Amino acid sequence: MPRTLLLLFILIASAFKTEDDRWVCENGIISFVSDAPLEKITARTEQLRGLIEPSKKTFAFSVPVTSFEGFNSELQREHFNENYMESNIHPQATFTGKIVEDVDFSKEGSHQVRAKGELNLHGVKKERIIGATIQVKENSFTVTSDFKVLLNDHKIAIPRIVHQKISEEINVKIEARFKKKGAKTQ
Amino acid sequence: MRVPLLLLFLSLSVGAVCQQLMLRELSFSALPGNTELTRGRQDASGLMWIASNKGLYRYDGSQLHPVSLPALKNPDELSHLSLSSDGKLLVGSVNGKVWCQLKPGRDDFHLDSISSRTSGHRITGIYSSASDLIAAATYGAGLFIRSGNNFSHHGDTTLLASNDCYVLCPISADEFWVGSDAGITRFGTSWPVRARGKIKSTEGLKDDLVFCIVPAGTGRIAVGTHSGGVQLWDIKSASFFDQEFPGTGQHAVRSIRFFGKECLIALEDAGLHRYAEDGRHLARESERSVTSLFSDREDNIWVFSRGNPVLFASLRLSQYRLEFLKEQEKRVLALLNIGDEIWLSSADGLFRLRNGTAAPMIREEGLRFICLYHDRQGYIWAGTFDKGVFRIDARTGKYTRFTEKDGLVNNNVLSVHGQGDTIWFATLGGLSSCSISGAQVRFFNSNLQKQVGQVYIYSIFADSEGKLWIGTDGKGLACYDKELKWYREPFRHGAIYTIAEDWKGHIWIGTSTSGAWELRHGSFARRTEEEGEVTHIRRAGHDMMAVMHQNRLELYFSEDSVSLSFGEGSGFFFGPPDINALCNEGSRFWIPGENGLIRLDLPETRDKLRPQLLLENVLLYLEPLKEVPSSLSYEDNYLAFDYTGFWYRQPDAVSYRVRLAGLDQEWKETRDTRFIFNDLRPGNYTFEVQAGLYNNFTNASSVSVPFHIDAPWWWKWWFWVLAVLVVAGLGVLFIRIRDARQQELAALEHEKVTFKLETLRSQVNPHFLFNSFNTLQSLIETAPVQASHYVEQLSDFFRHLILLRDKNEIPLKDELALLENYTFLQRQRFGSQFDVRITIPEEYENHHVPPMVLQLLVENALKHNTLSRTEPLIIHVYIDEEKRCLVISNPVRKKFGAVEGTGMGLDNIASRVRLLGNGEMEVNSNEHTFEVRLPLGQQTEHTAG
């Protein structure tokens, strides 16, 4: 019995320890551009959530698909959600994995890193290595990245005709400011 | 003479986008050098035959196989191929030989006896009826006719008026025509064959040198001459039509083929031309000087010209080369036909194709027309991406544009459909509509538009009952008939690309992800076997629906489907065409293809859409059978079937499935043309094979061969009855023998027990003991040494007795030892009044006898005979070597008043001997001697002892 208690104590202690090392982002910005010859579609959301644990070098991002705003019409937004992304079945897009490089988050300045993980979009997972920049400041750091998503990779089917108006390659941009968990937001 | 013709062709082809056949060269491997393929013909089985300057070939779609003709001399050149009225191939050679095929589909030919008359002259035509009447036209010797053994001849001295015939053509069941240097002569087909009349210049024939006579659709005959061009003869009025085929008179007409409303005409040294039946020149299909044309049952054209490979094309496919489009902009976005006039849009603009020329109608940077519709007023509506909809006057080409400013709900217009004076627009912003009165176009916000709401509409269709059908992306299908009704399922996923109505008034729906559906009695049933994209559904002709899948067009006749292939050279450009880039008028379709716009004429009947299937051979142990016997012996159970499906347009599309009814019920799909069955058990079977296209067998042609494999004699019923009887008999016999044996054993056991009892009774009988003790007492007094010896012998005796009494048989030497014991004991009592003399050769000592038999016999002898010193009782024990038996004999001296034995002793011995199976014991007794003969048993194995 004392042994179990001890084990429990150690577990709780270690949990508290990692808690100290968690950095979170509550309202990151993610935007995308579909640049087809016939039409340019842009959309963005500020509901990107992120978590980075420097000690384990792990990260996790997620965004509710329905939160994207923009588009050229409300109807287009509806088709994006219901027909192409099928957000009723796959409401979230996520990217989780590990940062390849070692980053000293205590040192101010800019770090080029590569994030290796699984991009889950439209319920279809794809292993990706995505380059990103981490700008470390006092008490916070900012992650920015540009990358491309191929519709085909994630089995996002666009019907004929409208297909001509949507690019096969979607450019995605993220900007997320991370703060230490528990730290007060300014 | 030739200059005006060339000018004519030039004027027709300038800037032309003329519709041409998709001719391709057929290549045959392994043909001997200098082989020229000169003509072709398909027999009734569907097999294609090709004549050459080196003999005859059969062609199954993959390879040319040389066929040997009897009495064909190398290099005998073939000059003619035709078919008899019952579908057999007729072959003629340049030096007058005529061969007839014995059966369609087979390689067997016989040389017809008419060859003896035509010998030395080029055969130019053959007619043969089912009633053994044959006519052969020659170049140089006129026409010969044979019926049975009767011959007749027509030449320059008869109505034929010439010995040089160029052509012979069957016209009807009772008439054939012969074309010669002196016009056309008409002949009857019954013996005796008589000329019925002539067609010459007086009948309107422009030239008397008649080279071609060809049926040209119902009631018409096309005639081609040396310098009079092509003329059409009307059978009904027995005169020529005024119809001309411009340009054909300047060159000798070598061959003519009519198909549908068009024809191909081969002119000597002036190529191959396609004309409409009304005489319009449509295209110059080939530059070659064609010698022979043949169109097969699939409506393929085979073009033969000397020194060139065979050209081949489907008459159902022709194409416009869209060379006027910019290289990057060749993808067709929308198509519309008004009769044979085509409206076509690509990223390059909107074009009209008419009379072989393409004219740009609207070209503007960034303008893309994605749908086209021809309304009742004669206007063409062209929907665009982002730029609204255009209304174009089809006659003048003038247009007006309508956009959101004019009340159009959205500038992306994907589909247009008219209903009365209303035009409906399917847009990426919902339903839009306008009304037309004269030149006035007024867009209005209908109540329906609000009800449908903001949706992406892909297709819109007004059916024959006035219902409006609206296909959306992801919101399902809507039907407006006084009120709006939504069908959300099964169209929740994906877009509705196409809506059509069939001949029964049923609505068909084609979707982007879940195939094609038919609305029947208020609910949707899927018509396509698989899910996936269906871009177009069109009613094609009377009772046929055409459904465009990703890689094929599927045709539906009532309940089942037939796949139609687009092979190499006619495959789709970028996968299936875009949803508005296909148009049709009845069974004539225009589809964007690899190298241009393909015009496809669907056959109206499904039998034009299946390969012909020929069962070539049935093989027994891989030896072809002449005929399949109705019954095969049980050993003839290794059967193979050779079959071929002929589909010359695309031989590799043919697939087969086979089944052996009686063995299994499952079809086996295969690409092989031989199927082998080995070790078939006796029984009734039916071999069935079907040939279909692309593994679609709903419309397959099939052949079945019933046969029977006999049971071997040991499988016949009478054998089984016999076998059962024999087995039953053997069983009964076995049971009987076993019973008898068991009885014997039981008897033996019984005898043994009785005997034991008897011996014990006698041996341990109180007399014996009493006597023995008396003897012993007397000995103790007189000779104590002897007495102790006596006691030893006595105990020996009893020990033997105990050891041996349970055995069935013992070796003779043990028995003799016991006897000696006994003899010793008795001799102490009787002294010299009695003796036992044993003479047994040593080799017999191991033979078996039943135990205690000798002792019992000796005891018997002592009991029944008197003993005296003067006449001692001598008992002899010896072997009768001859009879292999042990003999115990003693002289008879009957005791008076002797105690009669139970008689059991001897009987007991006799039965024991019998049961041991060594033979019978013999007892010979007379006044002087008593003799018992015991048969000897088996010898003991020395090794065992």
Side-chain angles (χ1 to χ4, degrees):
Chain A
M1 193 68 175
R3 205 188 256 178
T4 331
L5 273 174
L6 187 71
L7 201 69
L8 203 68
F9 176 76
I10 291 169
L11 269 174
I12 291 166
S14 62
F16 273 108
K17 190 176 174 281
T18 45
E19 182 82 356
D20 285 343
D21 197 30
R22 277 184 181 161
W23 293 71
V24 291
C25 163
E26 295 289 344
N27 42 14
I29 298 162
I30 177 162
S31 62
F32 69 80
V33 179
S34 153
D35 198 359
L38 284 178
E39 191 170 348
K40 187 173 175 177
I41 301 168
T42 57
R44 82 196 277 276
T45 173
E46 292 186 9
Q47 294 187 30
L48 176 70
R49 286 163 171 271
L51 172 72
I52 291 180
E53 288 184 48
S55 60
K56 292 188 199 159
K57 290 168 60 176
T58 58
F59 69 88
F61 285 96
S62 75
V63 62
V65 176
T66 48
S67 68
F68 278 95
E69 302 281 350
F71 300 97
N72 295 333
S73 72
E74 184 53 30
L75 197 56
Q76 199 173 56
R77 193 178 96 92
E78 194 182 311
H79 273 81
F80 166 81
N81 276 321
E82 291 179 15
N83 297 26
Y84 310 152
M85 296 301 292
E86 298 181 275
S87 55
N88 55 334
I89 318 170
H90 313 292
Q92 263 196 344
T94 62
F95 185 44
T96 54
K98 280 195 157 189
I99 299 163
V100 178
E101 283 79 13
D102 292 317
V103 184
D104 185 356
F105 285 91
S106 59
K107 210 155 116 190
E108 285 191 23
S110 174
H111 306 270
Q112 287 295 324
V113 298
R114 284 171 299 169
K116 182 182 165 182
E118 213 168 45
L119 179 63
N120 185 350
L121 203 60
H122 189 234
V124 180
K125 289 174 187 161
K126 173 125 179 99
E127 198 66 43
R128 295 286 300 261
I129 299 172
I130 291 170
T133 309
I134 299 177
Q135 190 79 37
V136 180
K137 286 183 192 154
E138 199 182 344
N139 296 329
S140 75
F141 61 89
T142 309
V143 177
T144 53
S145 173
D146 279 308
F147 58 97
K148 282 179 173 34
V149 172
L150 298 179
L151 296 184
N152 234 348
D153 283 351
H154 295 277
K155 296 200 166 69
I156 299 166
I158 314 290
R160 284 162 185 282
I161 298 203
V162 171
H163 197 269
Q164 297 173 45
K165 303 182 92 173
I166 295 172
S167 173
E168 202 27 60
E169 237 179 46
I170 307 294
N171 293 306
V172 183
K173 205 171 190 167
I174 67 163
E175 193 183 330
R177 187 153 173 252
F178 284 81
K179 288 198 176 94
K180 197 157 201 172
K181 180 141 185 162
K184 274 184 186 166
T185 31
Q186 292 165 348
Chain B
M1 278 293 262
R2 200 165 289 178
V3 178
L5 177 82
L6 283 178
L7 276 177
L8 177 81
F9 289 140
L10 273 173
S11 71
L12 281 171
S13 55
V14 164
V17 278
C18 70
Q19 191 108 38
Q20 281 196 304
L21 291 176
M22 296 157 79
L23 284 167
R24 64 176 201 259
E25 286 184 0
L26 288 183
S27 57
F28 303 106
S29 55
L31 269 187
N34 302 327
T35 306
E36 290 187 347
L37 304 176
T38 53
R39 54 201 75 231
R41 208 82 183 182
Q42 197 175 21
D43 73 18
S45 75
L47 181 60
M48 195 66 197
W49 297 87
I50 292 176
S52 76
N53 58 347
K54 300 268 173 77
L56 186 66
Y57 295 91
R58 52 181 282 163
Y59 179 53
D60 55 15
S62 63
Q63 239 184 316
L64 282 183
H65 305 276
V67 173
S68 68
L69 293 168
L72 177 81
K73 283 200 192 91
N74 222 358
D76 224 355
E77 189 179 327
L78 300 181
S79 60
H80 182 75
L81 291 181
S82 60
L83 282 198
S84 70
S85 56
D86 50 355
K88 296 172 192 160
L89 190 72
L90 302 166
V91 186
S93 79
V94 288
N95 43 33
K97 294 202 180 73
V98 173
W99 292 273
C100 299
Q101 195 182 23
L102 296 176
K103 196 181 164 199
R106 305 305 294 254
D107 286 358
D108 310 318
F109 289 84
H110 74 90
L111 185 69
D112 195 274
S113 57
I114 202 167
S115 306
S116 61
R117 307 292 169 114
T118 55
S119 181
H121 300 284
R122 164 188 284 264
I123 303 291
T124 52
I126 310 171
Y127 169 85
S128 169
S129 73
S131 57
D132 194 33
L133 182 127
I134 186 162
T138 68
Y139 183 79
L143 177 74
F144 293 90
I145 302 162
R146 175 185 72 76
S147 173
N149 292 321
N150 303 315
F151 289 91
S152 67
H153 175 251
H154 293 269
D156 51 5
T157 56
T158 67
L159 190 62
L160 188 61
S162 169
N163 273 345
D164 292 343
C165 303
Y166 297 105
V167 59
L168 183 156
C169 177
I171 300 299
S172 63
D174 64 347
E175 190 166 310
F176 65 85
W177 292 8
V178 176
S180 68
D181 280 344
I184 298 165
T185 315
R186 302 164 59 172
F187 288 91
T189 60
S190 51
W191 185 262
V193 173
R194 292 206 174 86
R196 289 177 167 181
K198 292 219 59 138
I199 298 169
K200 295 203 293 180
S201 50
T202 44
E203 279 74 29
L205 189 64
K206 289 185 178 168
D207 181 14
D208 280 349
L209 267 65
V210 177
F211 283 3
C212 310
I213 306 173
V214 172
T218 39
R220 294 183 310 186
I221 307 292
V223 178
T225 55
H226 176 262
S227 48
V230 174
Q231 289 176 270
L232 285 179
W233 175 266
D234 180 20
I235 294 176
K236 208 171 168 190
S237 66
S239 62
F240 283 105
F241 288 100
D242 289 338
Q243 174 78 58
E244 280 195 20
F245 292 87
T248 57
Q250 282 79 6
H251 293 270
V253 177
R254 278 298 166 197
S255 193
I256 311 169
R257 283 286 150 180
F258 270 77
F259 55 95
K261 295 187 169 181
E262 296 178 358
C263 69
L264 283 170
I265 298 172
L267 299 175
E268 194 162 287
D269 302 324
L272 180 66
H273 299 269
R274 192 155 53 90
Y275 284 83
E277 64 175 357
D278 61 11
R280 271 184 303 131
H281 184 266
L282 296 175
R284 185 178 198 175
E285 299 288 354
S286 170
E287 306 292 313
R288 292 181 187 172
S289 185
V290 174
T291 52
S292 170
L293 293 172
F294 175 70
S295 57
D296 64 20
R297 267 180 256 169
E298 297 162 26
D299 297 318
N300 301 314
I301 189 82
W302 303 66
V303 182
F304 297 88
S305 58
R306 296 226 93 150
N308 285 308
V310 180
L311 290 176
F312 177 91
S314 170
L315 290 171
R316 301 200 163 273
L317 291 170
S318 52
Q319 73 178 358
Y320 286 108
R321 290 190 172 274
L322 303 176
E323 268 142 19
F324 57 91
L325 294 178
K326 283 186 204 152
E327 198 52 45
Q328 301 304 313
E329 320 283 2
K330 281 200 188 295
R331 189 183 175 98
V332 176
L333 299 173
L335 267 184
L336 172 75
N337 69 294
I338 306 165
D340 271 357
E341 182 179 311
I342 306 286
W343 289 67
L344 174 152
S345 85
S346 85
D348 202 17
L350 180 65
F351 298 84
R352 183 176 65 191
L353 279 63
R354 190 164 65 175
N355 293 336
T357 51
M361 302 306 286
I362 304 172
R363 290 175 109 164
E364 195 181 303
E365 188 59 38
L367 194 59
R368 282 183 180 227
F369 293 100
I370 52 175
C371 70
L372 293 167
Y373 177 73
H374 184 223
D375 74 9
R376 292 199 314 176
Q377 286 81 13
Y379 289 96
I380 287 170
W381 292 86
T384 67
F385 264 142
D386 295 321
K387 304 276 165 59
V389 64
F390 287 64
R391 184 196 192 214
I392 309 155
D393 187 326
R395 292 156 294 248
T396 62
K398 286 183 180 160
Y399 62 84
T400 328
R401 181 195 300 217
F402 302 97
T403 62
E404 287 169 14
K405 285 177 196 148
D406 302 293
L408 186 68
V409 76
N410 183 285
N411 278 340
N412 296 283
V413 178
L414 272 64
S415 177
V416 181
H417 204 96
Q419 193 182 28
D421 288 334
T422 307
I423 304 285
W424 298 99
F425 303 94
T427 75
L428 292 185
L431 185 68
S432 197
S433 53
C434 72
S435 66
I436 296 167
S437 55
Q440 284 284 317
V441 175
R442 194 175 59 81
F443 281 83
F444 60 94
N445 286 326
S446 65
N447 204 25
L448 180 60
Q449 179 181 329
K450 276 187 215 120
Q451 284 182 54
V452 172
Q454 283 218 336
V455 283
Y456 279 18
I457 303 178
Y458 270 73
S459 49
I460 189 155
F461 178 78
D463 71 12
S464 56
E465 290 170 22
K467 290 180 197 163
L468 190 68
W469 297 85
I470 300 155
T472 71
D473 176 15
K475 294 276 188 262
L477 176 74
C479 172
Y480 179 71
D481 180 20
K482 293 184 193 93
E483 56 186 32
L484 192 68
K485 185 179 178 188
W486 282 97
Y487 297 90
R488 304 283 183 192
E489 298 296 339
F491 310 116
R492 199 171 281 284
H493 300 288
I496 293 173
Y497 282 155
T498 179
I499 307 171
E501 185 179 6
D502 72 8
W503 61 95
K504 291 175 287 187
H506 293 178
I507 295 296
W508 291 53
I509 305 294
T511 67
S512 62
T513 52
S514 63
W517 300 77
E518 185 189 342
L519 179 62
R520 260 186 265 174
H521 317 299
S523 66
F524 282 96
R526 182 146 71 212
R527 289 305 303 264
T528 45
E529 270 182 34
E530 65 226 63
E531 297 203 336
E533 192 178 57
V534 167
T535 46
H536 308 83
I537 302 179
R538 296 285 191 276
R539 183 170 168 189
H542 175 244
D543 60 348
M544 185 162 72
M545 294 299 279
V547 174
M548 176 64 75
H549 283 265
Q550 242 150 345
N551 58 357
R552 67 192 189 279
L553 195 63
E554 214 163 64
L555 301 178
Y556 288 79
F557 298 83
S558 59
E559 292 308 306
D560 51 44
S561 70
V562 177
S563 267
L564 188 66
S565 62
F566 285 87
E568 214 173 304
S570 59
F572 297 119
F573 201 5
F574 305 106
D578 255 325
I579 63 169
N580 292 314
L582 177 146
C583 61
N584 74 309
E585 188 174 290
S587 58
R588 174 167 288 187
F589 281 71
W590 284 269
I591 305 165
E594 261 170 343
N595 300 308
L597 189 61
I598 295 170
R599 189 185 82 191
L600 164 70
D601 289 295
L602 293 177
E604 267 91 13
T605 52
R606 56 172 79 191
D607 56 314
K608 287 266 187 190
L609 286 165
R610 63 174 153 228
Q612 289 221 31
L613 181 60
L614 171 67
L615 183 75
E616 293 191 79
N617 273 314
V618 178
L619 304 100
L620 176 62
Y621 292 102
L622 301 181
E623 284 295 318
L625 294 169
K626 282 253 183 259
E627 253 172 63
V628 186
S630 57
S631 190
L632 292 155
S633 102
Y634 73 93
E635 290 164 309
D636 295 340
N637 60 358
Y638 188 97
L639 288 167
F641 297 85
D642 282 352
Y643 44 84
T644 310
F646 305 116
W647 185 250
Y648 291 100
R649 185 146 71 77
Q650 205 179 351
D652 58 4
V654 180
S655 50
Y656 308 93
R657 62 175 186 180
V658 297
R659 176 166 74 170
L660 190 64
L663 184 72
D664 47 11
Q665 287 306 307
E666 291 294 306
W667 287 101
K668 291 184 193 73
E669 289 187 13
T670 174
R671 290 262 165 176
D672 300 331
T673 56
R674 168 173 287 182
F675 215 89
I676 297 175
F677 298 96
N678 50 16
D679 280 340
L680 286 175
R681 300 173 72 81
N684 285 314
Y685 298 97
T686 304
F687 173 73
E688 293 169 275
V689 56
Q690 294 190 332
L693 298 174
Y694 295 97
N695 296 322
N696 181 325
F697 295 99
T698 45
N699 183 43
S701 33
S702 53
V703 169
S704 59
V705 189
F707 62 95
H708 172 81
I709 295 182
D710 241 357
W713 57 268
W714 62 83
W715 272 39
K716 307 265 186 191
W717 65 270
W718 53 260
F719 175 78
W720 282 103
V721 171
L722 208 71
V724 166
L725 286 178
V726 166
V727 167
L730 284 172
V732 167
L733 204 66
F734 170 75
I735 289 166
R736 284 202 181 156
I737 288 170
R738 197 186 58 182
D739 283 358
R741 181 76 194 144
Q742 272 173 351
Q743 273 168 14
E744 272 177 30
L745 284 173
L748 181 64
E749 207 54 38
H750 180 250
E751 291 300 330
K752 217 160 82 180
V753 171
T754 324
F755 180 73
K756 246 189 297 191
L757 195 69
E758 191 69 9
T759 18
L760 279 176
R761 194 190 286 151
S762 62
Q763 263 79 41
V764 194
N765 109 15
H767 283 287
F768 177 73
L769 275 179
F770 178 74
N771 288 338
S772 297
F773 290 141
N774 268 348
T775 313
L776 190 60
Q777 193 191 16
S778 65
L779 279 176
I780 290 169
E781 286 167 7
T782 54
V785 181
Q786 244 179 322
S788 95
H789 189 54
Y790 187 86
V791 171
E792 267 172 44
Q793 287 287 333
L794 192 62
S795 70
D796 253 6
F797 177 73
F798 279 107
R799 193 172 54 245
H800 270 113
L801 211 61
I802 289 160
L803 279 176
L804 301 176
R805 65 181 177 192
D806 282 334
K807 295 193 173 158
N808 280 334
E809 43 184 357
I810 54 168
L812 186 54
K813 63 174 180 230
D814 291 353
E815 180 69 8
L816 290 175
L818 188 70
L819 181 63
E820 269 165 22
N821 269 162
Y822 181 72
T823 313
F824 175 82
L825 295 175
Q826 295 298 29
R827 270 177 65 89
Q828 294 306 315
R829 197 175 140 211
F830 299 114
S832 55
Q833 293 175 39
F834 140 82
D835 198 9
V836 178
R837 306 230 170 113
I838 301 168
T839 43
I840 304 284
E842 212 173 304
E843 68 259 34
Y844 287 98
E845 284 190 344
N846 284 321
H847 284 274
H848 282 201
V849 287
M852 290 176 289
V853 174
L854 292 181
Q855 178 258 328
L856 203 71
L857 289 172
V858 169
E859 196 185 335
N860 264 356
L862 289 172
K863 199 152 67 181
H864 297 294
N865 294 297
T866 51
L867 304 177
S868 68
R869 218 171 284 273
T870 50
E871 273 182 285
L873 179 70
I874 310 295
I875 300 170
H876 289 275
V877 178
Y878 61 92
I879 296 287
D880 182 344
E881 299 206 24
E882 206 176 309
K883 292 187 177 162
R884 284 177 49 84
C885 59
L886 182 67
V887 186
I888 300 97
S889 78
N890 61 283
V892 177
R893 258 168 245 134
K894 269 264 161 62
K895 240 185 204 172
F896 295 102
V899 189
E900 276 301 312
T902 52
M904 274 175 71
L906 269 180
D907 286 352
N908 183 287
I909 295 168
S911 61
R912 285 177 68 202
V913 167
R914 192 184 316 121
L915 290 172
L916 284 174
N918 295 335
E920 285 290 322
M921 183 181 88
E922 267 178 61
V923 179
N924 303 320
S925 128
N926 52 31
E927 292 169 23
H928 307 291
T929 44
F930 182 85
E931 184 182 86
V932 174
R933 304 174 78 93
L934 287 169
L936 283 170
Q938 291 293 14
Q939 238 178 312
T940 318
E941 291 288 331
H942 284 289
T943 47

